[in-house]
Amino acid sequence: MALRIPSGTRDVLPEEMAALRRIEQALLATFLEHGFGEVSTPTVEYEDTLRAAEIGLGPAYRVVDDHGELLALRADMTVPIARVVATRYADSEPPLRFCYAARAHRAVRPHRGQAREFLQAGVELFGVPGAAGTAEVLTVLSRALEAAGLREFHLGLGDARIYPSLLSAFDVPEDGRAKLLAELTTRDLAGLDRELLALDLTPEARELLSRVPRMRGSAQVLEGLPVHVADAVADLREILSLLPVDVAGRVIVDLGRAPRLGYYSGHVFEVYDPALGEPLGGGGRYDQLLGRFGREMPAVGFALGVDLLHEALAGEARGETRLGGQGS
Amino acid sequence: MNRYGLTIAVPRGALMDGTLERLEAIGIDTAEVRSNDRKLLFEDVGIVTMRPSDVPTYVESGAADIGITGKDVLMEQREHLVYELLDLDFGGCRMVLATKAGPDLAAEALQRLGVMRVATKYPRIAGEHFERTGRQAEIVEVKGSVELAPITGLAEAIVDLTATGTTLAENGLVIREEIATTTARLIANRVALRVRAEAVDRVVEALRGI
């Protein structure tokens, strides 16, 4: 018989394992240095718990145990750690800081080279609201990547509230809002423009709703934005001012970010490296998630794909500073 | 490398001429691409050529920073995490449901058997169309020459892309329904879109200005 392993999973042999372990340890050491305590949670949780989080991405793998209970493999560590905070730290004074390096599981489509099981390293910060909390984890994120040896990375920073605020400000009717947000979530900016033309809007509103999601770059993109998004803009400015200068220098302000997962409520960010065609991690604020577990508390965190980080490091070492790897 | 410093995925086939015309118009020398039919990678001008249906795969992975492909491909392969930046307004086609001329055998099958067989290269687009319109269809995926299916009795109907309808007509098929219209689109890798924002925007502006 063929001794197969499920698609999207893999064995790691000593040479690679040593490299992955070094990366993981560099990340964890940085997290600990910044006051984040390492936690471990069960690989399987009750499916109810993972679903109660109402995240966009539900658990992909379920099993019925010997008591007839429905268990599921976690899709990330954010929900299990939120559960820990809501139960084990129910009476603790915030702020609370946790970090982890752990495996999680997600559904994959066949033949796409996606991982079904992957190692994530990240932090979760509870009880520090707004820009201050976000700036703290962005700084830890940046320091951890530096400790792992990554040099060329950028931090894409946006706010999931921006587009919805604009839609409210211009009184876009409910069905139109849904259509525009769907185009933005599916990354179809041509479709966005088409839907905008179909709506009864002033030329100014139409121009702004088309332009803002395309804006990304230095802090300059925050200039001249309408008053309707003042809260988000003020927040993003504050984050930038709170970051150490070198970290702020890595930020690409990105006004086109639609919420990545259902639980993100405000600031969102992703890590980009020119040596890798996909983000190697990301995170954001999820201020409503804890409330669903019975304890209202603002929260922010990120997760890095350790395998992706390894790939990006290898790419940088080969001198692939541009995407595509065809040389310049 | 071209003046924008971006690797561009160019579709072979029906969209190729229109694509190269536009790239030429924004200052990318495409002479070698036009003259060499076998070569796939043109490093000097930052162009890679491939089947249109492979463009999203290359762009998503970052093997190309930006690319041009048909909306039909993007609709069928929606799982690719790429950004669609611009409707390039050429290569216009219609996604249609067609059957043999004469009495509508597909409608008849639906009435008689409750289900019709539909051959297509676009199983997702076809499947969703029938779901949306509340009809049962058995989708048969084929890789090419879809017109053959109704003629040989493999299926009662086809869902396929057509520009002029000539091939359909030549094979004795008539269009019964129009499902969508498609044109060529400019897509971008999600990391390139941020890290090489300025270059990507220059391409978009130049293409808009043609």
Side-chain angles (χ1 to χ4, degrees), chain A residues 1-2 30 45 56 66 68 95 103 131 172 192 210 212 219 221-222 226 262-263 278 286 288 307 316 318 320:
Chain A
M1 83 185 258
T30 310
E45 299 251 359
D66 48 350
R103 290 181 191 283
V172 178
L192 186 78
S210 167
V212 169
V221 303
L222 296 171
Y263 51 53
E278 61 184 302
Y286 50 100
Q288 274 82 51
D307 290 309
E316 282 195 358
R318 284 196 302 270
E320 292 173 2

Side-chain angles (χ1 to χ4, degrees), chain A residues 82-94 96 290 293-297:
Chain A
R83 174 188 56 71
V84 168
V85 170
T87 55
R88 311 293 296 276
Y89 289 85
D91 303 318
S92 303
E93 271 301 299
L96 299 167
L290 261 281
F293 287 162
R295 189 180 183 193
E296 299 282 344
M297 203 191 299

Side-chain angles (χ1 to χ4, degrees), chain A residues 1-327:
Chain A
M1 83 185 258
L3 300 172
R4 303 180 307 145
I5 59 173
S7 69
T9 67
R10 64 198 195 93
D11 301 316
V12 181
L13 303 182
E15 192 183 348
E16 187 191 354
M17 195 62 223
L20 291 175
R21 187 67 78 193
R22 273 197 300 279
I23 294 168
E24 184 190 313
Q25 280 168 354
L27 298 175
L28 279 174
T30 310
F31 300 162
L32 294 172
E33 251 168 55
H34 286 81
F36 289 78
E38 187 180 356
V39 292
S40 165
T41 69
T43 311
V44 287
E45 299 251 359
Y46 287 118
E47 208 236 7
D48 291 353
T49 310
L50 297 182
R51 283 163 67 98
E54 290 175 35
I55 63 170
L57 200 88
Y61 304 102
R62 298 169 178 80
V63 63
V64 179
D65 76 1
D66 48 350
H67 306 292
E69 300 265 21
L70 189 54
L71 310 181
L73 291 174
R74 62 190 175 210
D76 64 22
M77 279 296 285
T78 302
V79 179
I81 292 179
R83 174 188 56 71
V84 168
V85 170
T87 55
R88 311 293 296 276
Y89 289 85
D91 303 318
S92 303
E93 271 301 299
L96 299 167
R97 293 179 173 82
F98 300 105
C99 69
Y100 60 87
R103 290 181 191 283
H105 297 81
R106 283 183 194 172
V108 294
R109 285 176 173 278
H111 311 305
R112 305 259 339 270
Q114 295 172 331
R116 209 194 283 250
E117 181 184 50
F118 47 88
L119 180 61
Q120 283 191 326
V123 308
E124 311 291 349
L125 169 60
F126 299 90
V128 183
T134 303
E136 180 181 335
V137 301
L138 277 173
T139 306
V140 177
L141 172 58
S142 193
R143 297 295 175 245
L145 289 168
E146 287 158 18
L150 201 66
R151 295 189 308 269
E152 307 289 336
F153 64 92
H154 300 270
L155 304 168
L157 173 66
D159 192 315
R161 292 171 300 179
I162 288 179
Y163 210 70
S165 304
L166 283 178
L167 294 174
S168 305
F170 294 120
D171 288 326
V172 178
E174 193 49 50
D175 57 328
R177 289 173 66 106
K179 281 183 188 156
L180 294 175
L181 283 171
E183 300 292 351
L184 196 61
T185 315
T186 53
R187 305 163 305 279
D188 184 354
L189 298 177
L192 186 78
D193 282 355
R194 195 179 51 244
E195 293 295 346
L196 282 171
L197 281 175
L199 288 169
D200 182 25
L201 294 167
T202 64
E204 293 78 22
R206 189 171 290 139
E207 190 273 333
L208 213 60
L209 287 168
S210 167
R211 180 163 56 90
V212 169
R214 292 174 163 84
M215 293 176 72
R216 68 240 183 266
S218 68
Q220 268 182 334
V221 303
L222 296 171
E223 307 285 335
L225 287 174
V227 63
H228 319 101
V229 294
D231 284 354
V233 168
D235 261 23
L236 292 174
R237 281 190 207 279
E238 195 184 343
I239 294 169
L240 287 168
S241 73
L242 290 171
L243 291 173
V245 175
D246 65 311
V247 179
R250 293 188 183 273
V251 170
I252 299 172
V253 176
D254 185 353
L255 303 187
R257 283 296 302 279
R260 189 173 66 114
L261 289 172
Y263 51 53
Y264 287 137
S265 54
H267 314 147
V268 284
F269 46 89
E270 273 184 329
V271 183
Y272 306 115
D273 192 277
L276 198 69
E278 61 184 302
L280 48 121
R285 297 211 66 88
Y286 50 100
D287 293 338
Q288 274 82 51
L289 176 58
L290 261 281
R292 289 175 205 145
F293 287 162
R295 189 180 183 193
E296 299 282 344
M297 203 191 299
V300 60
F302 66 78
L304 286 166
V306 175
D307 290 309
L308 294 172
L309 176 52
H310 186 209
E311 247 183 86
L313 284 165
E316 282 195 358
R318 284 196 302 270
E320 292 173 2
T321 50
R322 60 173 305 286
L323 298 155
Q326 259 95 49

Side-chain angles (χ1 to χ4, degrees), chain A residues 109 112 114 154 156 184 186-191 193-194 210 214 216-217 252 254 256-257 270-274 276-279 322-328, chain B residues 1 5-7 41 43 48 60-65 71 78-87 124 185 189-197 200-201 208:
Chain A
R109 285 176 173 278
R112 305 259 339 270
Q114 295 172 331
H154 300 270
L184 196 61
T186 53
R187 305 163 305 279
D188 184 354
L189 298 177
D193 282 355
R194 195 179 51 244
S210 167
R214 292 174 163 84
R216 68 240 183 266
I252 299 172
D254 185 353
R257 283 296 302 279
E270 273 184 329
V271 183
Y272 306 115
D273 192 277
L276 198 69
E278 61 184 302
R322 60 173 305 286
L323 298 155
Q326 259 95 49
S328 50
Chain B
M1 182 44 71
L6 298 172
T7 302
L41 168 63
E43 278 186 62
V48 278
E60 182 187 30
S61 77
D65 299 313
K71 181 66 179 172
R78 226 167 300 155
E79 67 278 11
H80 287 290
L81 299 173
V82 295
Y83 278 79
E84 196 177 316
L85 298 183
L86 205 56
D87 184 342
R124 179 187 266 180
R185 304 294 162 98
N189 171 273
R190 54 197 166 135
V191 177
L193 185 68
R194 276 74 180 228
V195 173
R196 326 228 35 224
V200 173
D201 285 352
R208 264 183 216 260

